[in-house]
Amino acid sequence: MIKFEQLKKKLDEKTEVQLDSEYHQQLKAYIERIYQQTCLSEDFDDKAFGDMREAEMSNLNRLQKLKNGTSYKKDKHRSQHQHEDWG
């Protein structure tokens, strides 16, 4: 929790850049939500961590799928465009 709080403070010190991608917006919301539930909560303890862990792993997996969704599409089409000049 101490390390997360240090990293969050460093992140807050950076100049914010507005990114329109759904992944970046959801990642920002995810970090804020976790910060609220952990560092800013007076009731946060090992039990609370255990309770939120399963739900947040699911949310983190959704974020990872959102991030990877565009890269898979690019890889799929990259081979088609790579050899267009041959023929």
Side-chain angles (χ1 to χ4, degrees):
M1 202 165 108
I2 293 169
K3 184 68 172 176
F4 180 54
E5 194 163 12
Q6 290 172 346
L7 292 171
K8 176 72 168 82
K9 285 181 182 178
K10 284 184 180 181
L11 181 65
D12 289 343
E13 290 172 0
K14 302 293 181 185
T15 303
E16 185 172 334
V17 176
Q18 183 63 35
L19 300 173
D20 292 332
S21 79
E22 183 180 1
Y23 167 72
H24 289 105
Q25 291 173 359
Q26 288 190 18
L27 180 61
K28 181 180 177 183
Y30 176 79
I31 291 170
E32 287 296 327
R33 186 176 65 251
I34 297 296
Y35 185 71
Q36 293 287 329
Q37 293 175 352
T38 57
C39 298
L40 298 182
S41 174
E42 294 178 11
D43 300 329
F44 186 72
D45 56 11
D46 288 341
K47 183 183 180 326
F49 178 71
D51 292 345
M52 70 181 270
R53 185 173 183 191
E54 283 298 316
E56 293 307 330
M57 288 302 290
S58 176
N59 289 332
L60 196 54
N61 285 338
R62 274 192 227 112
L63 272 173
Q64 195 67 34
K65 285 180 183 179
L66 188 60
K67 177 185 173 193
N68 291 337
T70 55
S71 66
Y72 291 138
K73 290 178 187 171
K74 290 178 185 172
D75 288 343
K76 176 182 171 183
H77 298 294
R78 186 174 292 143
S79 63
Q80 291 175 358
H81 296 296
Q82 186 175 14
H83 303 294
E84 280 182 347
D85 294 338
W86 302 8

